[in-house]
Amino acid sequence: MLKSKIRQLENQLAQPTKTRTETCAPTPVSDIETTHSHLAGTFHVHNASLPSNQGQTVRRNFIHKRRFFGQSHWISSMCLFRDIVEIIEPYLMAEGSKVLLGLQKCKHLGRKIKAQRTPEWPVPITADLPSKDICDALVDCYLRTFEKVYRVLHIPSFKKEYATFWESGTRHDPIFLVQLKLVLAIGCTTHDDELSLRSSAVRFVYETQTWLAQPEYKARLGIPFLQAHILFFLARELLGVDGGMNWIAAGTLIRTAVYMGLHRDPVQIPNLSGFASEMRRRLWNTILELCLQSSMESGGPALISVEEFDTEAPRNFDDDDIDAEHSIPHPENQLTSSSIAIAFRKTFPMRLAIAKFLNDFGSQGSYEEAIRLDARLRASYKEIRRTIQGYSIQPSQFEVLMLDFVIRRYLLSIHIPFFGPSFLETTYAFSRNVVIDTAVKLFNCSRISLPSTASSLSTQITPPHQIDFRRLTTCSSGFFRTAPLHSSFLIAIELKSQILEEEGLGPVSIRPDLLSVIHDAKDLGLQCIKIGGTNIKGYLFMSLVCTQLDALMQGVPKDDIPQLLIKAAEEAEDTCLSILEPMAAKGQNGKIRDNTEAESTTSLPDIGDDWDSMMTDANFDFADMEPVSWMLNSIPYGIP
């Protein structure tokens, strides 16, 4: 065998080089740029030429240490702020930089506050709960918001068991207690404007994590366990108890569902009641939605395709209907408690195609395909809006806002890869217009204070469901927090471009609505810190952006801009310190562990480990991982 192999290799070497070259396929050369800065560390950017325009390149993905970000991650647009980094970095690295010292103090306080909120591990689950009045309010918050969109529970059954739970002397079912605590944790995100019950909500999530870690796998392969698992997935993302790792948890969630056979339509499974069949369809539909959402948020592949399941969309039932045998679904034009979930499912194939277009390894990412995806998503959403407008009873404001928010998030993402090239090539002018128009609507959707156009009623008072949605985008973490901030960054890029493209000698004229978004985004960043967020970098960066835009509009000499930026950074840090210091002092007591006391207060700070989720107050610390620096996740230094 060895002699035969040697002869084969000798024959191949004897062939002319030209023949070998002609018969072998050309090996593609990846355009991977390695960059490094003092604040960002080392990371790699994969640039690829657009198939339709070899003169233009897009950034396909970003790699930093152990993390890989696809195009749907908001980092993909931050490289357009490279100039801010180039301006201030020499001043930041100067000896005794006040900016770096301020960042270190804020980081130290942030770690102390997170340590105060984080219970000792493991956290056994207990029956300790807030008062019944508070629990009632939190349950109502959950049922009128997330349960209307992500169908997880059978509401009549849950309410019945909830009422039984409070009866004196009644033994509680452990799985129901887990479900209840997670419902309360999720309800905290829309309960008030301050997320005042954050510590309790975080503890409930940790208790659930301890419970899930118990080795009782086979006994838990049932619908109640899967419901608890879904609620846990939602709670840990909304409260930031995931360290930006919810995409990994999504893999566990969907594989658990597949192992239980939820990927097969109930008609393929014998001896299932109508109730069980419908609950399986609902849960599978919710799992698909959450997994796709985690793909978009993390920039990771969706890891699912429409060919891998045949479970149909939920039927148009109210919860009371599926209790009865041989129930007939309501007509499509009649609103039920499943209508919004069905609407999301109708757009699922298009949105999945968008996630694959942006994050899959083999995606070519052509502009023609982006335009086709845009058209398909718009057409599908137009049909859904027509159906909703035809309801005799309109869905809640929260449901309408959620649907609009999510669809616009995908529409925005299609065009972001071509936003940078659009400043140099008119071929992509359509993408530039779509990005700005969608970003403004997406940001305003999260800050809305006027009645939704989907409602036939008009009132001067902000409806409770709109307040719920505003609280969600302010108090929560993950998908619903980063999208508005990402939108504001894109708008800032457009504003800067408009200023630099101005050719007249008179005052610079820019769209006032765009400028208003930037200042609102800065206020939003500060508000998030006031309600308990420990990551100052979103507010800090928006302060720098506002300062740069103001300087450009006023025609400030180029040499004076660095000092203005440094001053803005120092003022932003002082503002944050005035909030964080009392917050840290308030939570200090002898029972709380503090992992930060031993840190040096004179060495250069490690200021980057919270940028991965922008303003997420992550409670999991990964000490063995090199943090994603603030430069990578906001303004990647050195990226062209």
Side-chain angles (χ1 to χ4, degrees):
M1 290 175 61
L2 289 173
K3 290 181 179 179
S4 175
K5 185 65 176 178
I6 291 172
R7 284 195 298 270
Q8 180 183 354
L9 294 173
E10 288 175 342
N11 290 335
Q12 291 177 359
L13 289 172
Q15 294 177 0
T17 303
K18 180 178 180 180
T19 303
R20 293 202 314 272
T21 304
E22 291 176 347
T23 58
C24 296
T27 302
V29 178
S30 298
D31 183 11
I32 299 178
E33 179 185 7
T34 300
T35 63
H36 178 79
S37 71
H38 292 91
L39 297 178
T42 301
F43 59 95
H44 313 278
V45 183
H46 178 200
N47 300 309
S49 297
L50 288 167
S52 57
N53 188 340
Q54 295 299 318
Q56 290 288 335
T57 62
V58 295
R59 297 165 183 86
R60 289 286 182 222
N61 50 65
F62 301 79
I63 303 173
H64 179 82
K65 197 69 174 181
R66 297 178 177 91
R67 302 190 219 187
F68 186 100
F69 304 99
Q71 286 180 300
S72 72
H73 196 279
W74 58 267
I75 184 182
S76 61
S77 60
M78 292 301 100
C79 52
L80 297 175
F81 286 101
R82 175 189 176 187
D83 62 320
I84 290 182
V85 183
E86 292 180 330
I87 290 173
I88 68 173
E89 184 165 358
Y91 298 85
L92 291 177
M93 301 314 298
E95 184 176 356
S97 169
K98 185 178 178 181
V99 174
L100 282 185
L101 292 175
L103 282 171
Q104 185 180 18
K105 290 179 181 177
C106 290
K107 183 64 181 177
H108 174 81
L109 290 170
R111 286 178 173 171
K112 178 183 290 187
I113 294 167
K114 287 191 287 186
Q116 293 168 354
R117 294 172 180 163
T118 305
E120 293 281 358
W121 182 265
V123 190
I125 191 165
T126 69
D128 295 337
L129 292 171
S131 67
K132 187 176 184 302
D133 289 343
I134 293 178
C135 288
D136 290 346
L138 295 178
V139 168
D140 181 65
C141 285
Y142 169 78
L143 293 179
R144 73 171 184 254
T145 56
F146 282 94
E147 186 60 40
K148 292 290 187 71
V149 178
Y150 304 120
R151 295 312 317 270
V152 180
L153 304 172
H154 181 244
I155 297 176
S157 299
F158 179 82
K159 286 184 174 180
K160 181 179 179 181
E161 198 161 1
Y162 177 71
T164 304
F165 177 84
W166 288 101
E167 293 178 4
S168 59
T170 302
R171 292 189 60 186
H172 58 267
D173 180 1
I175 292 185
F176 176 77
L177 179 60
V178 169
Q179 290 181 359
L180 175 58
K181 288 201 168 189
L182 292 171
V183 164
L184 299 178
I186 296 170
C188 288
T189 59
T190 55
H191 177 248
D192 56 31
D193 293 330
E194 292 80 29
L195 191 54
S196 59
L197 298 173
R198 183 199 299 266
S199 296
S200 296
V202 169
R203 182 174 183 85
F204 294 159
V205 174
Y206 270 77
E207 288 181 9
T208 302
Q209 179 68 79
T210 304
W211 180 78
L212 289 171
Q214 295 175 1
E216 300 177 4
Y217 306 116
K218 287 187 178 180
R220 294 179 174 179
L221 287 180
I223 294 299
F225 171 77
L226 191 60
Q227 290 171 316
H229 202 162
I230 294 171
L231 293 171
F232 174 67
F233 183 94
L234 268 172
R236 69 184 296 212
E237 178 184 16
L238 292 171
L239 292 164
V241 190
D242 63 356
M245 301 293 180
N246 228 21
W247 178 74
I248 298 175
T252 301
L253 180 60
I254 199 164
R255 282 162 179 78
T256 302
V258 169
Y259 203 57
M260 294 172 58
L262 268 70
H263 65 304
R264 302 306 310 271
D265 193 77
V267 298
Q268 307 292 337
I269 302 175
N271 302 322
L272 283 179
S273 66
F275 177 86
S277 297
E278 190 57 31
M279 288 303 298
R280 291 171 71 91
R281 290 191 182 101
R282 289 182 177 186
L283 293 179
W284 177 254
N285 191 66
T286 297
I287 290 170
L288 289 177
E289 191 64 37
L290 294 179
C291 289
L292 182 57
Q293 183 174 298
S294 71
S295 169
M296 293 294 290
E297 176 66 12
S298 68
L303 301 179
I304 190 68
S305 69
V306 294
E307 293 82 17
E308 295 173 355
F309 63 91
D310 61 5
T311 305
E312 295 182 358
R315 308 289 172 84
N316 199 31
F317 284 121
D318 276 314
D319 281 23
D320 291 331
D321 300 330
I322 62 174
D323 280 334
E325 290 295 331
H326 310 295
S327 298
I328 299 176
H330 295 287
E332 184 179 331
N333 61 358
Q334 181 175 337
L335 177 68
T336 71
S337 59
S338 298
S339 294
I340 297 300
I342 295 171
F344 271 109
R345 181 63 173 271
K346 287 182 177 179
T347 66
F348 179 81
M350 283 72 75
R351 290 184 291 123
L352 178 60
I354 291 169
K356 290 180 175 293
F357 172 82
L358 295 169
N359 297 331
D360 273 15
F361 170 75
S363 174
Q364 296 299 313
S366 69
Y367 192 55
E368 293 76 11
E369 179 63 17
I371 298 301
R372 284 194 293 269
L373 291 171
D374 174 287
R376 289 177 59 197
L377 183 61
R378 289 177 188 270
S380 179
Y381 190 38
K382 184 177 181 180
E383 180 182 347
I384 290 171
R385 292 202 309 269
R386 189 181 301 115
T387 299
I388 292 176
Q389 290 166 356
Y391 292 152
S392 57
I393 300 175
Q394 289 292 297
S396 70
Q397 300 277 326
F398 184 88
E399 293 170 87
V400 172
L401 288 171
M402 278 282 281
L403 182 61
D404 193 62
F405 183 91
V406 172
I407 297 299
R408 292 192 190 282
R409 169 72 169 85
Y410 285 83
L411 186 63
L412 178 69
S413 298
I414 299 173
H415 294 279
I416 288 177
F418 311 100
F419 185 54
S422 71
F423 295 110
L424 304 174
E425 178 61 63
T426 57
T427 304
Y428 311 109
F430 176 69
S431 286
R432 181 175 179 178
N433 291 333
V434 172
V435 166
I436 298 307
D437 180 63
T438 307
V440 171
K441 291 178 179 178
L442 192 60
F443 185 86
N444 290 337
C445 181
S446 68
R447 313 308 299 157
I448 192 166
S449 59
L450 297 175
S452 171
T453 56
S455 174
S456 59
L457 301 177
S458 178
T459 177
Q460 298 300 317
I461 301 175
T462 303
H465 291 288
Q466 287 189 1
I467 296 175
D468 287 337
F469 193 80
R470 186 169 66 244
R471 287 172 176 171
L472 173 64
T473 56
T474 303
C475 300
S476 72
S477 299
F479 186 86
F480 298 101
R481 171 79 72 81
T482 56
L485 290 171
H486 190 185
S487 298
S488 65
F489 290 143
L490 294 167
I491 293 169
I493 295 169
E494 172 67 17
L495 280 174
K496 186 170 67 173
S497 176
Q498 288 183 14
I499 296 171
L500 296 177
E501 291 172 356
E502 180 67 36
E503 296 179 351
L505 297 176
V508 177
S509 177
I510 61 175
R511 287 175 52 180
D513 60 324
L514 300 186
L515 189 60
S516 175
V517 167
I518 301 305
H519 290 290
D520 286 348
K522 179 182 175 181
D523 293 339
L524 173 61
L526 184 60
Q527 183 182 358
C528 291
I529 299 172
K530 288 180 178 179
I531 65 175
T534 60
N535 192 333
I536 74 162
K537 301 180 186 69
Y539 173 68
L540 172 62
F541 186 64
M542 288 310 303
S543 298
L544 294 174
V545 169
C546 287
T547 300
Q548 185 189 44
L549 290 175
D550 289 342
L552 292 174
M553 286 190 294
Q554 295 172 13
V556 173
K558 184 177 180 181
D559 293 341
D560 294 341
I561 292 180
Q563 290 301 327
L564 292 177
L565 292 175
I566 294 298
K567 182 180 178 181
E570 292 174 352
E571 291 176 350
E573 290 169 359
D574 289 341
T575 301
C576 293
L577 283 170
S578 68
I579 300 171
L580 294 176
E581 286 173 343
M583 194 185 303
K586 183 178 180 181
Q588 184 97 28
N589 62 62
K591 296 182 180 180
I592 293 176
R593 62 187 176 91
D594 185 354
N595 296 328
T596 60
E597 291 299 331
E599 290 186 25
S600 169
T601 57
T602 57
S603 60
L604 287 179
D606 176 9
I607 61 174
D609 58 346
D610 286 334
W611 272 108
D612 186 34
S613 299
M614 178 54 69
M615 298 193 62
T616 295
D617 181 23
N619 289 285
F620 284 167
D621 294 325
F622 299 91
D624 60 333
M625 296 181 65
E626 178 181 342
V628 175
S629 82
W630 74 300
M631 308 298 286
L632 170 67
N633 289 293
S634 65
I635 36 178
Y637 176 70
I639 302 176

